Amino acid sequence: MTSNLVHQFPSMNSVTKSLLFLAAFASSVTATTTFNVAIGEARTSGGAMVATGTVGILVVDNAGNGFAGSTAGTFSALSGLVLSVGQVFGGDDRILGVILASDLSGSGDIGFVDAVNVNYTTHGVDANDKIAIYWFPGITSSGATVPSNQAQVGYFRTDTLDGPSGANGTFVLPSDTGAAIDLYYTTPALGGATASSSLTSFAVSAAPEPSRASFMAMALLGLLMRRKR
């Protein structure tokens, strides 16, 4: 577009042409906001630290209707999801970044530390959209597909700053100014204020334990059938 404009006005001096080029370039570029993510002590549903290399994703809820697959009852929305940037699940939730778990302190505290660059135009997001973190115990390859038999999924989001950890942003997209946002949410053991239970995965499907009353009813039924014979 710029070259066409310059050819249309050959008498322009070099300064004018440079300004025209810069204006055209600026109009085609939007700011990129960087999210410095630090989620400390991510855990499995059993309470143990996840393995180093466990895949996590930063997700945006484009429609404001909640995050699909964030509870065991809605896990089917995650089944078959390819864990790479731009993938959509649940109809409107989009992956903004893929991060891998690492040892945060060199002493076995496993969590997620990475920078995710989000261009609002490219990613199709707006200020005030909510974001969240998911992680998948047992999956350690970026670009992997979530299997239908995935046993557990981690999920975390909050609109409260974790002051002790140094967070300067919550899990809501700010205005697209290109500023860096620090999403630091760590447990008290790492100097933060986030409860360990908040960073614990949920079991995708758990077989309900039969109650004592159920056992008694089954035993009584068996006794009656035995007497009938």
Side-chain angles (χ1 to χ4, degrees), residues 138-209:
I139 299 181
T140 55
S141 299
S142 176
T145 299
V146 179
S148 58
N149 63 347
Q150 178 70 19
Q152 51 186 310
V153 174
Y155 171 81
F156 177 75
R157 67 155 277 112
T158 178
D159 294 335
T160 302
L161 288 172
D162 192 340
S165 291
N168 61 17
T170 60
F171 277 54
V172 176
L173 293 181
S175 298
D176 185 19
T177 62
I181 304 298
D182 296 329
L183 300 178
Y184 294 167
Y185 292 85
T186 61
T187 63
L190 294 176
T194 303
S196 297
S197 59
S198 297
L199 302 177
T200 299
S201 305
F202 61 82
V204 170
S205 59
E209 295 184 9

Side-chain angles (χ1 to χ4, degrees), residues 68-69 74-79 81 89-90:
T74 59
F75 170 73
S76 59
L78 295 173
S79 179
L81 172 64
F89 61 97

Side-chain angles (χ1 to χ4, degrees), residues 33-38 58 96-99 112-118 181:
T33 297
T34 299
F35 294 90
N36 296 312
V37 180
L58 181 67
L96 299 178
V98 178
I99 51 184
F112 298 96
V113 176
D114 208 342
V116 178
N117 298 318
V118 179
I181 304 298

Side-chain angles (χ1 to χ4, degrees), residues 3-22:
S3 59
N4 289 337
L5 288 174
V6 171
H7 287 309
Q8 288 175 21
F9 301 97
S11 60
M12 288 184 180
N13 59 37
S14 60
V15 174
T16 303
K17 290 178 180 179
S18 297
L19 291 174
L20 180 61
F21 173 82
L22 290 174

Side-chain angles (χ1 to χ4, degrees), residues 26 59 68 87 106 109 126 129 160 167 178 181 212 219:
V59 175
Q87 294 295 309
D109 296 313
D126 298 298
D129 284 352
T160 302
I181 304 298
R212 186 173 179 180

Side-chain angles (χ1 to χ4, degrees), residues 89-102:
F89 61 97
D92 62 275
D93 298 330
R94 183 185 303 273
I95 299 178
L96 299 178
V98 178
I99 51 184
L100 301 178
S102 60

